[in-house]
Amino acid sequence: MSDIQLKSATITAVGSALVDLLIHEDDTFLNAIGKEKGGMTLVEDHEVHYVLSKSGQEPKVVPGGSACNTICGVAELGGSSGFIAKRGNDQFGENYETYLRGIGVNPCFYRSDTPTGRVLSIITPDAQRSMFTYLGASVEMQPDEIIPDLFKDAGIAILEGYLLFNRALMRAALDASKTAGALIALDLASYEVVQGSKDILDEIIQNDVDILIANEDEAAAYTGISDEMKALEMMTEHVKIAVLKVGARGSFISHQGEIIHITADGHARKGDFPDQIEASRSADIKDTTGAGDLWAAGFLYGIANGFSLEQSGRIGAACGFEVCQVVGAQVPKEGWDRINALKASL
């Protein structure tokens, strides 16, 4: 059992309601539209339509956004979950809300006449994704809309790092969830988020965050340290739990001076680790969309439901692996069956 004390097992997320539009193209297409591979570019709605017109493909349309991907994973695992966001009064928004309710998420959607936000992800044959993001209605959520009552049932509040682009909104979410008595989990989201928020991240992490999650690039950007174990040590100084995700090499979980390495295939070990840890998954990866988000879903579900840190990391690894076997961030039923079988065995 984890020694992290929670007031309830409910997990509530605050984030951007963004519809994912997924297409497959090659590097030549990216070069033709002037997009460097990888990363995220903020665009207007008409630019999304322009890229789609150049492709000519009919995109796969699924609910997305970092916090939404995580909270959907929590619901699929059977966890109690909520999602706070703003969407448009359009068909994209209606479908988005219907999907969340259908899998058991309890959403609180504020609405706007601005279109629902969307992310066009171009997936290349190497499984990398290059994103064009139109934030739409998602950026219109106001700080005074984020109140403690929204977190009254939450044991953990997930705040996606992209909220740092709206500092007043992030501050409101931190204050409201903390006032309600929830532990705060912050996923640093991207290298660009960390770089743009370095002047306030220390204060937020030292004073408000209980669970800090980052990949190797985000951890290096935040700490200024390239050595992964030293970066993790620095991340752990002011939080209860720090997590360093290292892709196919797995993840490291640090708590009270102990570090657990969870391999990508779900094995766990403790103690000293070699400088180089090899990738542990050999299966083909179709798409990395949502891998970190689903890892967080499994891990936080485990913490909220009384699993140990090691067990929670193993559930997270299973979720992260399964989502890489499909296009988009929605794990199919057979994937959830395998994950839930693992969960039942722990």
Side-chain angles (χ1 to χ4, degrees), residues 1-8 155-156 181-183 240 303:
M1 301 287 286
S2 169
D3 62 352
I4 304 298
Q5 299 300 310
L6 303 174
K7 71 174 188 178
S8 81
I156 296 176
L183 290 188
K240 291 181 172 66
I303 296 300

Side-chain angles (χ1 to χ4, degrees), residues 3 5 71 75 91 106 123 125 172 185 227 230 248 266 291 296 302 310 324 329:
D3 62 352
Q5 299 300 310
I71 214 63
Q91 195 60 53
N106 180 27
I123 304 163
D227 183 287
K230 289 181 180 178
E310 178 180 318
C324 287

Side-chain angles (χ1 to χ4, degrees), residues 85 108 142 284 327:
C108 172
Q142 299 301 309
D284 290 338
V327 175

Side-chain angles (χ1 to χ4, degrees), residues 116-294:
T116 300
R118 62 208 67 175
V119 179
L120 172 59
S121 291
I122 302 172
I123 304 163
T124 43
D126 57 3
Q128 294 300 305
R129 55 197 168 109
S130 306
M131 298 178 288
F132 293 90
T133 300
Y134 165 64
L135 295 171
S138 69
V139 296
E140 296 180 359
M141 192 153 59
Q142 299 301 309
D144 61 5
E145 293 173 326
I146 308 300
I147 57 176
D149 192 56
L150 295 175
F151 301 92
K152 64 181 180 181
D153 298 322
I156 296 176
I158 304 172
L159 308 183
E160 67 178 40
Y162 294 110
L163 290 176
L164 287 161
F165 287 134
N166 184 335
R167 297 185 176 193
L169 191 64
M170 173 61 89
R171 185 70 260 166
L174 290 166
D175 291 344
S177 51
K178 198 169 185 179
T179 297
L183 290 188
I184 297 172
L186 175 65
D187 191 324
L188 290 182
S190 77
Y191 174 87
E192 292 84 0
V193 166
V194 178
Q195 285 292 94
S197 310
K198 292 181 78 169
D199 59 320
I200 60 169
L201 265 180
D202 276 341
E203 178 188 352
I204 288 173
I205 291 170
Q206 290 177 21
N207 297 329
D208 300 296
V209 175
D210 300 290
I211 303 170
L212 180 62
I213 302 172
N215 66 21
E216 60 266 55
D217 292 335
E218 296 151 10
Y222 169 57
T223 64
I225 300 171
S226 58
D227 183 287
E228 291 176 349
M229 290 300 98
K230 289 181 180 178
L232 180 60
E233 180 180 352
M234 182 173 171
M235 286 169 57
T236 313
E237 287 180 358
H238 301 287
V239 299
K240 291 181 172 66
I241 300 171
V243 174
L244 177 64
K245 299 174 296 184
V246 289
R249 293 182 291 129
S251 59
F252 295 93
I253 302 165
S254 179
H255 173 60
Q256 294 185 342
E258 180 179 72
I259 297 175
I260 304 169
H261 176 224
I262 307 292
T263 64
D265 55 4
H267 293 96
R269 55 180 177 162
K270 303 175 184 179
D272 295 327
F273 305 106
D275 291 337
Q276 296 296 323
I277 293 178
E278 299 299 325
S280 60
R281 281 290 193 183
S282 58
D284 290 338
I285 294 175
K286 293 183 179 178
D287 177 21
T288 57
T289 301
D293 303 334
L294 268 295

